[in-house]
Amino acid sequence: MKNLAFRVSALAGLALVAGCMTPAERGTEVTRFHLGDVIPVQAVTMEPADPEDANSLEYTQYSAIVADALAGIGFTPAQLDEAEMVAVIGVERGTRDEPPRRSPFSIGIGGASFGRSTGVGLGTSVGLGGSRGGEVNVTELNVALKRRSEGTVVWEGRAIRASEPGTEDPTTTVQRLASALFQDFPGESGRTITVE
């Protein structure tokens, strides 16, 4: 009986942990596209997807994050006129409403007593976890690697992350997006994966 009570208690704990997970804890969705050709590491320069962002402090910060992520896989960040490869960077931030989620876990609680010829039974099921829904922050990082001389895009990727308001600052979110985006570069083309 003690073992059964311990198992029920442990399952309840796991359900509560799973149900309390925020969108940020569910990971980052990553999708990448390329032609399957080898993309040699080389000098690369950063460029905003929207030219109007070129001198903004926000873009400067985000491009430095992407440059660091590319350096981590062997690319060498360079000035505009020193690189054939260009990383075109776009970051979009917004919000969306998420509906409440029911927990996939429930625990049944029941009991019964039986006499010689009569019996009484009681049973109930309690749902654990879930989420109340509401507004979440959504950040999307898009990066395309293209050859400057001909404008051909050789690789592009998108990473999306949702987080509860107040749980992540924008810089931390973009760092996580960039890290996920270039993990196992170039990645499987056309497949969406979740990176924790």
Side-chain angles (χ1 to χ4, degrees):
M1 191 65 163
K2 225 181 227 184
N3 283 345
L4 178 59
F6 174 76
R7 282 188 211 142
V8 169
S9 174
L11 283 172
L14 287 173
L16 284 171
V17 168
C20 293
M21 288 176 74
T22 66
E25 292 167 326
R26 290 200 300 263
T28 300
E29 275 190 11
V30 174
T31 309
R32 296 167 284 199
F33 297 95
H34 54 84
L35 300 175
D37 299 332
V38 174
I39 303 170
V41 293
Q42 57 191 284
V44 61
T45 189
M46 309 299 123
E47 186 176 284
D50 183 348
E52 291 185 9
D53 292 337
N55 297 316
S56 75
L57 293 175
E58 190 175 40
Y59 167 73
T60 301
Q61 194 171 35
Y62 295 158
S63 65
I65 291 169
V66 172
D68 285 346
L70 284 167
I73 58 173
F75 285 85
T76 307
Q79 296 301 316
L80 188 64
D81 56 352
E82 297 173 354
E84 163 67 0
M85 188 67 71
V86 180
V88 182
I89 302 163
V91 176
E92 295 178 26
R93 298 175 59 221
T95 60
R96 74 172 179 226
D97 286 326
E98 285 203 339
R101 292 191 326 276
R102 291 188 59 167
S103 171
F105 298 99
S106 65
I107 292 181
I109 302 170
S113 66
F114 296 95
R116 287 172 93 145
S117 59
T118 61
V120 176
L122 171 67
T124 185
S125 179
V126 179
L128 297 171
S131 93
R132 64 180 183 275
E135 190 175 80
V136 295
N137 296 327
V138 181
T139 307
E140 180 175 329
L141 170 65
N142 293 282
V143 179
L145 297 177
K146 69 174 185 179
R147 294 190 186 99
R148 177 180 300 286
S149 58
E150 59 195 50
T152 303
V153 174
V154 297
W155 181 94
E156 61 183 318
R158 177 184 69 232
I160 302 173
R161 186 173 180 82
S163 60
E164 300 271 1
T167 59
E168 282 186 356
D169 63 85
T171 301
T172 300
T173 301
V174 174
Q175 285 171 336
R176 290 182 172 179
L177 289 168
S179 176
L181 190 58
F182 294 108
Q183 182 175 306
D184 300 324
F185 179 84
E188 186 176 342
S189 185
R191 182 183 170 207
T192 299
I193 62 170
T194 300
V195 178
E196 298 300 330

